[in-house]
Amino acid sequence: YDDEISSLQKLKLVLESDLKNAEMKLIRYYNELQMLKSLETRDISLNEKLKKCKQEYASVRHDMEEIAAKLKAKEEDTQKHEEEIKNIENEFVEQIPSDIPEYKELEEFFKKRVKKHKKTDKDADDMGDEDEEEEAQDDEEEEEEEDEEDDEDVIEEEEYNQMLMKFNQEEHKIDLVEKLMNRRNTEKDKLKKINKEVEKLNGDHKEKQNLE
């Protein structure tokens, strides 16, 4: 009987030990579960942020690719207008004899342009309802005026007419020269517009690079 009691006591100690170990494991598992639950919310938040960042990055890359494509197109346009200006200047050389005494003055005249002026208030009143439609065009003309301030080839209309009076209409082919002049100035205006667009695109591209 004593041996059985002793055996049961030993078994009780083993069972109590096992039970205590199980209880400690249960507590540890419970604590880990609580930690995982607290991290789950943070993980969801971080995953949402990561998803948003990936979308923004993809959008920035897409915008940069679009800007690069536009810059390439603008470069091609620039080359096209520069070639056209050279063609017009070559046409002037071919059509106007270089041996005439006024050739240098005529060439200088060919490279001039008449300064544009913004419409006066009186002109604007005369336009009536068309003012709103012309507002964007007026803004462009104002920008052109600012650009012309630094252009030494821009002259006032009075000076233009004075230069014109120096030439013989038929002998110096003034009609042709003016047509070539207008074509050249049109191409130069297009180049200026493209350069402004390129400047803006480069600024946008740099801004997008900073967002990467």
Side-chain angles (χ1 to χ4, degrees):
Y1 178 78
D2 292 338
D3 291 340
E4 289 181 2
I5 292 296
S6 178
S7 176
L8 289 173
Q9 286 177 338
K10 290 179 180 179
L11 179 60
K12 178 186 175 185
L13 292 173
V14 172
L15 291 175
E16 286 178 347
S17 177
D18 291 343
L19 184 61
K20 193 65 177 179
N21 288 333
E23 184 180 356
M24 291 177 65
K25 285 184 179 180
L26 183 61
I27 293 172
R28 189 182 73 216
Y29 292 156
Y30 176 79
N31 290 334
E32 290 177 353
L33 178 62
Q34 294 303 114
M35 183 182 295
L36 288 173
K37 284 184 177 180
S38 67
L39 291 175
E40 183 179 9
T41 303
R42 187 166 179 266
D43 283 345
I44 293 173
S45 176
L46 290 174
N47 283 330
E48 288 297 325
K49 288 182 179 179
L50 178 61
K51 183 179 179 182
K52 184 179 179 181
C53 287
K54 286 182 177 180
Q55 290 174 344
E56 290 177 350
Y57 178 78
S59 176
V60 169
R61 293 299 304 173
H62 179 264
D63 291 344
M64 289 179 65
E65 289 172 2
E66 280 192 343
I67 292 172
K70 289 179 181 178
L71 284 171
K72 184 177 180 182
K74 295 300 179 185
E75 183 180 354
E76 293 173 355
D77 288 343
T78 297
Q79 292 176 352
K80 181 181 70 175
H81 292 302
E82 286 177 345
E83 289 176 3
E84 183 61 23
I85 289 174
K86 288 181 181 178
N87 291 336
I88 294 170
E89 292 174 348
N90 289 336
E91 188 174 348
F92 173 85
V93 173
E94 292 171 1
Q95 295 292 335
I96 306 302
S98 59
D99 56 351
I100 60 175
E102 299 86 358
Y103 181 82
K104 288 293 183 183
E105 289 83 353
L106 197 58
E107 184 180 32
E108 181 182 352
F109 173 75
F110 162 67
K111 293 182 178 180
K112 297 293 182 182
R113 69 161 67 231
V114 178
K115 185 176 183 179
K116 297 179 182 179
H117 292 282
K118 193 177 180 181
K119 294 182 179 66
T120 63
D121 293 338
K122 183 178 181 303
D123 293 333
D125 292 337
D126 294 338
M127 292 293 290
D129 295 336
E130 295 181 4
D131 279 348
E132 293 182 2
E133 298 177 4
E134 299 294 330
E135 185 175 351
Q137 183 175 351
D138 288 344
D139 291 339
E140 290 183 4
E141 290 177 354
E142 187 174 355
E143 290 180 2
E144 288 177 4
E145 281 187 48
E146 292 175 358
D147 292 339
E148 288 175 350
E149 294 295 333
D150 299 325
D151 192 341
E152 60 182 13
D153 290 332
V154 175
I155 57 176
E156 295 287 350
E157 186 173 0
E158 183 179 352
E159 183 180 353
Y160 176 87
N161 291 330
Q162 289 176 354
M163 293 182 71
L164 193 60
M165 291 174 63
K166 297 178 182 178
F167 308 114
N168 180 279
Q169 183 74 21
E170 295 183 3
E171 180 184 357
H172 300 124
K173 301 181 181 181
I174 295 303
D175 286 343
L176 174 62
V177 171
E178 287 190 305
K179 286 179 181 178
L180 292 175
M181 175 197 299
N182 290 333
R183 282 172 55 197
R184 180 177 181 272
N185 289 335
T186 298
E187 295 300 320
K188 288 178 72 67
D189 287 340
K190 290 178 181 178
L191 271 179
K192 286 181 180 179
K193 185 177 180 181
I194 290 173
N195 288 336
K196 286 184 177 180
E197 292 171 349
V198 168
E199 185 178 352
K200 183 179 183 303
L201 286 170
N202 282 327
D204 292 342
H205 191 272
K206 186 176 181 179
E207 182 179 344
K208 295 295 181 181
Q209 278 183 321
N210 292 334
L211 293 175
E212 280 192 291

